[in-house]
């Protein structure tokens, strides 16, 4: 099989466009392609899924540990002919030096790296930069370089000389293409509309096919085949599990859904369009963009009543970030207009004076170690007292609150669901 990781010296180098184009171009060849994304990201995987027609899977050593990442990778890579992992930030940028970085994932899974470089005004000075990437960590193998946003044939000639002087091959050269700049919004890329993502996938693949030597790339990224880990298909429980999924609540990891399916039948519903919750024993409200759909959410009074009735029934309820905001008494938009919501939590979330809060989080819940991440622009006015202390990736205390009321668990933190955590939420002992 072929396996590789798309990395870059820094963010903004064009990894997402190159990855999307490569995925669709490989699919066009009739290959079975499985995509992955390094780090805690919900939006790039949506682009991957649009390009391949298959769910994209996150590889995050902080959330799942090295053994967990290797198991996840083996499970989803088995049966694929090509695996493509998109890196995060710069190749060696992690939460603690290179811990949690794309390089760590490449080392762990023995993935050769295809480096996307946007050289700007650089020419031969690119050579020592690439030489450093090639030799900095001998456990990270650089398969080749894709030059992005190259302005002219003359610039291309100088850059090619520099790459070859560093002992690496040029696998492709992409020209500047303003039409392929995906607009940013909030957490990253605007990908809600499938037809828009489909158009980007097609356009990116068209560019890749004429700009990248796919045959040479595949020749340099041949790896051993992957065998799926053995896993019991036995369910741990037989619950009815309802998961919110629409434009307002769309941030759900595929791996979390797999974990939930081990505890029962998963049913999806829309807080925007459905009038009531489906009959369920466990309710999961993941994050998303509720602030973009406040009028529609606030007018769906029957759904809001249904959410409140469920919360009052003292059945298990997990609400993360945007899902937590749905449980607030009100959400205030950027203009200062307030919208009444469920009132399950007697507090107000606001987009006024929005500021970014992000980072990994960890805490212990009734003896279970829990990990997650935080990334949002809203904040809560006069928040309720936190039920426990959360910590960042370095083990330092952070002010991120977590609220428990009966069997309700709500926080800005997006959680990495595990068997142990779900069992604790539903009050089940795992032997």
């Amino acid at each position: 099989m072929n396996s590789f990781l798309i990395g870059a010296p820094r963010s903004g180098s064009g990894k997402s466009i190159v990855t999307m184009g490569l995925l669709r171009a490989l699919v066009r060849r009739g290959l079975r392609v499985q995509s992955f994304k390094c780090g805690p990201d919900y939006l790039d995987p949506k682009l991957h899924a649009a390009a391949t027609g298959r769910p994209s899977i996150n590889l995050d050593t902080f959330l799942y540990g090295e053994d967990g990442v290797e198991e996840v990778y083996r499970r989803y890579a088995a049966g694929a002919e090509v695996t493509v992992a998109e890196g995060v930030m710069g190749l060696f940028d992690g939460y603690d030096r290179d811990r949690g970085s794309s390089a760590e994932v490449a080392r762990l899974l023995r993935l050769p790296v295809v480096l996307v470089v946007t050289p700007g005004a650089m020419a031969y000075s690119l050579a020592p930069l690439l030489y450093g990437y090639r030799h900095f960590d001998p456990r990270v193998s650089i398969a080749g370089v894709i030059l992005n946003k190259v302005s002219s044939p003359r610039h291309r000639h100088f850059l090619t000389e520099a790459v070859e002087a560093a002992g690496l091959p040029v696998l492709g050269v992409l020209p500047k293409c303003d039409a392929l700049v995906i607009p940013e919004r909030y957490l990253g890329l605007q990908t809600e509309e499938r037809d828009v993502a489909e158009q980007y996938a097609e356009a990116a693949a068209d560019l890749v096919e004429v700009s990248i030597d796919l045959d040479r790339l595949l020749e340099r990224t041949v790896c051993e085949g992957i065998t799926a880990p053995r896993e019991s298909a036995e369910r741990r429980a037989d619950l009815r599990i309802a998961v919110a999924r629409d434009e307002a609540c769309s941030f759900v990891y595929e791996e979390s859904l797999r974990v939930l399916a081990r505890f029962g039948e998963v049913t999806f519903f829309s807080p925007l369009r459905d009038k009531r919750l489906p009959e369920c024993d466990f309710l999961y409200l993941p994050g998303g963009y509720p602030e973009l759909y406040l009028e529609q959410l606030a007018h769906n009074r029957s759904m809001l009543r249904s959410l409140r009735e469920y919360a009052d029934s003292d059945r298990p309820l997990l609400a993360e970030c945007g899902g937590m905001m749905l449980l607030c008494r009100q959400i205030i938009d950027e203009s200062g207009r307030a919208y009444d919501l469920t009132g399950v939590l007697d507090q107000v979330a606001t987009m006024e004076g929005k500021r970014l809060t992000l980072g990994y989080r960890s805490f212990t819940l009734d003896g279970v170690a829990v990990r997650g991440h935080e990334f949002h622009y809203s904040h809560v006015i006069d928040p309720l007292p936190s039920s426990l202390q959360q910590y960042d990736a370095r083990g330092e205390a952070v002010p991120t609150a977590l609220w428990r009321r009966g069997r309700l668990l709500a926080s800005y933190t997006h959680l990495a669901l595990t068997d142990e955590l779900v069992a604790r939420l539903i009050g089940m002992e795992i032997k």
Side-chain angles (χ1 to χ4, degrees):
M1 67 183 297
N2 291 92
S3 300
F4 56 93
L5 182 146
I6 302 292
R10 60 180 178 82
S11 296
S13 295
K15 294 189 302 291
S16 294
I17 289 296
V18 171
T19 301
M20 197 173 188
L22 282 171
L23 291 173
R24 176 56 64 88
L26 293 168
V27 168
R28 285 178 177 178
R29 289 191 168 200
L31 297 169
R32 296 190 302 275
V33 183
Q34 177 60 57
S35 62
F36 298 89
K37 171 65 183 181
C38 298
D41 188 297
Y42 291 105
L43 297 172
D44 281 339
K46 292 178 182 291
L47 294 178
H48 298 179
T52 65
R54 300 174 65 168
S56 183
I57 309 303
N58 292 78
L59 304 172
D60 191 302
T61 53
F62 179 85
L63 295 182
Y64 299 110
E66 291 188 357
D67 290 343
V69 165
E70 189 166 10
E71 181 184 359
V72 166
Y73 178 75
R74 288 178 59 205
R75 182 185 307 117
Y76 290 96
E81 295 172 287
V82 184
T83 70
V84 181
E86 180 182 350
V88 58
M89 300 187 295
L91 183 61
F92 290 95
D93 294 330
Y95 61 85
D96 183 5
R97 296 191 179 188
D98 68 343
R99 293 178 64 192
S101 68
S102 306
E104 183 182 49
V105 172
R107 285 195 303 262
L108 175 65
L109 303 177
R110 297 171 294 280
L111 299 177
V113 174
V114 175
L115 203 63
V116 178
V117 179
T118 301
M122 294 181 72
Y124 202 67
S125 292
L126 183 60
L129 174 67
L130 293 178
Y131 185 87
Y133 272 87
R134 184 184 175 198
H135 294 280
F136 178 72
D137 187 341
R139 298 169 297 174
V140 178
S141 173
I142 309 296
V145 174
I146 294 174
L147 298 167
N148 188 32
K149 297 184 180 180
V150 176
S151 57
S152 68
R154 183 176 177 82
H155 194 203
R156 172 178 182 152
H157 172 73
F158 291 148
L159 293 171
T160 299
E161 286 184 328
V163 175
E164 292 174 349
L168 294 169
V170 175
L171 301 177
V173 181
L174 278 66
K176 290 183 178 179
C177 185
D178 294 337
L180 273 177
V181 177
I182 300 177
E184 294 184 358
R185 182 172 68 192
Y186 297 146
L187 305 181
L189 305 177
Q190 179 179 336
T191 60
E192 290 82 7
E193 297 184 14
R194 293 182 181 179
D195 57 340
V196 173
E198 173 67 20
Q199 292 170 16
Y200 277 115
E202 283 292 292
D206 290 343
L207 181 63
V208 160
E209 288 180 339
V210 299
S211 305
I212 295 177
D213 188 340
L214 290 176
D215 291 328
R216 193 177 188 196
L217 187 154
L218 293 174
E219 287 173 3
R220 294 188 61 83
T221 57
V222 176
C223 301
E224 294 183 5
I226 299 294
T227 302
R230 297 184 63 182
E231 181 181 53
S232 172
E234 181 181 358
R235 277 188 176 177
R236 294 188 179 277
D238 195 25
L239 300 178
R240 298 166 299 176
I241 302 169
V243 178
R245 186 164 73 174
D246 60 16
E247 299 92 323
C249 295
S250 60
F251 296 161
V252 183
Y253 288 132
E254 190 69 21
E255 185 64 9
S256 291
L257 294 178
R258 186 192 68 84
V259 170
L260 289 174
R262 288 171 57 79
F263 289 84
E265 181 179 357
V266 176
T267 300
F268 299 102
F269 72 96
S270 169
L272 288 171
R273 300 178 186 86
D274 293 337
K275 297 304 180 185
R276 292 193 58 82
L277 290 174
E279 291 297 323
C280 60
D281 310 298
F282 182 96
L283 175 60
Y284 179 29
L285 302 177
Y289 291 131
E291 66 271 20
L292 300 182
Y293 305 94
L294 286 175
E295 189 163 349
Q296 190 173 347
L297 287 167
H299 279 87
N300 193 355
R301 302 309 300 176
S302 60
M303 173 57 73
L304 297 179
R305 284 194 299 271
S306 185
L307 288 169
R308 180 62 186 258
E309 290 168 0
Y310 181 93
D312 290 342
S313 71
D314 199 31
R315 285 172 285 175
L317 195 168
L318 173 61
E320 302 171 348
C321 201
M324 177 275 297
M325 293 168 69
L326 291 179
L327 299 184
C328 290
R329 177 164 44 86
Q330 289 183 326
I331 298 179
I332 301 174
D333 66 15
E334 291 184 58
S335 69
R337 181 179 176 184
Y339 294 82
D340 293 334
L341 292 172
T342 64
V344 172
L345 298 173
D346 189 22
Q347 54 190 19
V348 176
T350 181
M351 295 297 299
E352 290 184 298
K354 65 180 185 180
R355 56 184 182 271
L356 177 60
T357 303
L358 77 163
Y360 285 115
R361 301 291 179 254
S362 66
F363 57 90
T364 301
L365 180 72
D366 299 337
V368 175
V370 182
R371 293 204 163 190
H373 62 93
E374 191 176 1
F375 200 141
H376 57 92
Y377 285 90
S378 66
H379 64 278
V380 172
I381 301 173
D382 296 329
L384 301 169
S386 181
S387 301
L388 52 78
Q389 179 65 59
Q390 297 195 53
Y391 302 87
D392 65 14
R394 296 174 180 267
E396 298 177 358
V398 293
T400 305
L402 182 144
W403 300 286
R404 299 184 74 179
R405 195 191 77 184
R407 302 175 75 183
L408 160 68
L409 185 72
S411 176
Y412 266 120
T413 303
H414 301 268
L415 305 182
L417 298 189
T418 63
D419 283 8
E420 292 75 16
L421 174 56
V422 174
R424 179 62 63 201
L425 293 175
I426 66 175
M428 172 183 173
E429 293 293 332
I430 293 183
K431 297 181 180 180

